[in-house]
Amino acid sequence: AMPAYDFDFQRYVARRKGAREAQVREGAAYAFPGDVRLLRTLDRLRPVQLALEETARLWRAVARAELLGTAVRAGTEHYPSVAQAAARCAQRLHIEVPTVYITPQPASQGARTLGTSEDAYIVVAAGLLEGLSGDELLDVIGRECGRIQNGHVPFLTALYYLTTSASDFVRWMVLPATLTLSAWERRAVITADRAGLLCSRSLEVSLSALRKSVMGDEATVSRRARALSRFAGSAYYRTVIGLDPSAGEPQEACDAAVARILDDKDGETEPR
């Protein structure tokens, strides 16, 4: 008998979309649980819900065109090394190759991913690119790919515009939405840093890229570096890079240690 092939493309797309949505809900295997737990509750909160709706409207109406107006898309003609890094990261994280734009901005603008769940763009400041090695670029692009893979993009975009274009939003919701999203972002960045490391495959490279690309205060960068170093010793990461996982820390213990690092306000000592 002939095998029964499913030629229904819509059903195939729906199945793929279902798998993607399930992963976004649960987070990729490497996602920090503190990020995943908060992310599941965010869009149930009225101020955040409204911010997401307003941001999507703003994005479609003017923000997308404004952001990408002076930007150049990375591809075979322009910024081929960036396009290659994006392809390598997508392969390592098992996602579709993202669209990357380079904007004529200084290094302080770093890299970010903006848009909607269906329409996301990684945007990298040209000034940042100048200071990165090829391996460090894998970390920076990988971090943003992790944002896409874990469903961060609509929330990050809302937070970005709440802090840069507050006047476009209903006044009463700006502060509660900003505070809630900022508390989540502090945890979400841990997931993104892990994605960067999974793409660079070198803790030394990722820590160097982190210091070059994150313009936060020293205590914040230090906390992120310590959290990432802990993940680099996990059985999960060791498995991915082909080392013996039995010498690594179980994921639950690693995540518990990272949660303690994040709660350590002074960034100097890790409570035992």
Side-chain angles (χ1 to χ4, degrees), residues 7-28:
F7 288 113
D8 185 339
F9 187 67
Q10 288 307 110
R11 204 177 319 158
Y12 166 77
V13 170
R15 257 205 314 270
R16 280 293 299 276
K17 192 162 186 280
R20 227 178 10 250
E21 281 170 358
Q23 185 182 66
V24 163
R25 228 177 12 254
E26 300 305 321

Side-chain angles (χ1 to χ4, degrees), residues 32 34-35 183-191 193-194 219-220 222-228 255-267 269-271:
F32 177 54
D35 156 27
W184 159 73
E185 160 62 355
R186 196 161 161 265
R187 293 161 177 82
V189 78
I190 300 300
T191 296
D193 289 347
R194 290 175 174 188
T220 302
S222 165
R223 263 196 301 272
R224 284 174 64 175
R226 286 160 59 218
L228 191 59
D255 288 332
V258 168
R260 290 197 302 272
I261 290 169
L262 290 190
D263 290 338
D264 171 24
K265 298 291 187 286
D266 65 10
T269 56
E270 182 187 326

Side-chain angles (χ1 to χ4, degrees), residues 132-263:
L132 295 175
S133 70
D135 287 340
E136 288 168 346
L137 182 60
L138 282 178
D139 176 82
V140 169
I141 300 290
R143 230 181 287 153
E144 301 309 313
C145 286
R147 302 294 209 170
I148 295 169
Q149 186 171 32
N150 288 281
H152 292 177
V153 179
F155 301 94
L156 285 175
T157 307
L159 182 58
Y160 177 74
Y161 286 111
L162 281 165
T163 49
T164 60
S165 315
S167 58
D168 291 322
F169 293 87
V170 181
R171 191 176 302 149
W172 70 263
M173 79 180 186
V174 173
L175 186 62
T178 305
L179 289 173
T180 306
L181 287 167
S182 297
W184 159 73
E185 160 62 355
R186 196 161 161 265
R187 293 161 177 82
V189 78
I190 300 300
T191 296
D193 289 347
R194 290 175 174 188
L197 176 60
L198 288 167
C199 290
S200 80
R201 305 279 166 100
S202 161
L203 179 62
E204 193 184 339
V205 164
S206 284
L207 291 178
S208 171
L210 192 65
R211 294 205 162 88
K212 287 181 182 180
S213 61
V214 175
M215 303 300 155
D217 59 282
E218 186 49 46
T220 302
V221 176
S222 165
R223 263 196 301 272
R224 284 174 64 175
R226 286 160 59 218
L228 191 59
S229 301
R230 195 77 189 222
F231 177 70
S234 70
Y236 177 89
Y237 177 69
R238 288 177 67 86
T239 303
V240 169
I241 63 168
L243 293 176
D244 175 13
S246 67
E249 184 174 39
Q251 198 57 37
E252 275 186 27
C254 170
D255 288 332
V258 168
R260 290 197 302 272
I261 290 169
L262 290 190
D263 290 338

Side-chain angles (χ1 to χ4, degrees), residues 95-110:
I95 61 170
E96 289 170 23
V97 180
T99 303
V100 186
Y101 280 90
I102 312 303
T103 56
Q105 291 176 313
S108 59
Q109 292 303 301

Side-chain angles (χ1 to χ4, degrees), residues 40-177:
R40 279 190 204 136
T41 65
L42 281 181
D43 53 3
R44 293 184 216 149
L45 304 170
R46 189 71 183 136
V48 174
Q49 220 171 34
L50 284 173
L52 289 171
E53 287 166 13
E54 286 298 308
T55 304
R57 224 188 331 271
L58 183 69
W59 178 254
R60 283 192 292 267
V62 291
R64 181 178 180 273
E66 274 177 9
L67 180 78
L68 303 178
T70 55
V72 175
R73 184 172 175 166
T76 46
E77 277 185 52
H78 305 285
Y79 300 102
S81 62
V82 177
Q84 284 158 13
R88 172 81 61 85
C89 290
Q91 181 189 20
R92 288 185 167 172
L93 294 176
H94 309 292
I95 61 170
E96 289 170 23
V97 180
T99 303
V100 186
Y101 280 90
I102 312 303
T103 56
Q105 291 176 313
S108 59
Q109 292 303 301
R112 57 174 56 92
T113 304
L114 296 173
T116 63
S117 294
E118 293 76 35
D119 185 36
Y121 302 95
I122 296 174
V123 182
V124 185
L128 173 63
L129 276 184
E130 289 163 18
L132 295 175
S133 70
D135 287 340
E136 288 168 346
L137 182 60
L138 282 178
D139 176 82
V140 169
I141 300 290
R143 230 181 287 153
E144 301 309 313
C145 286
R147 302 294 209 170
I148 295 169
Q149 186 171 32
N150 288 281
H152 292 177
V153 179
F155 301 94
L156 285 175
T157 307
L159 182 58
Y160 177 74
Y161 286 111
L162 281 165
T163 49
T164 60
S165 315
S167 58
D168 291 322
F169 293 87
V170 181
R171 191 176 302 149
W172 70 263
M173 79 180 186
V174 173
L175 186 62

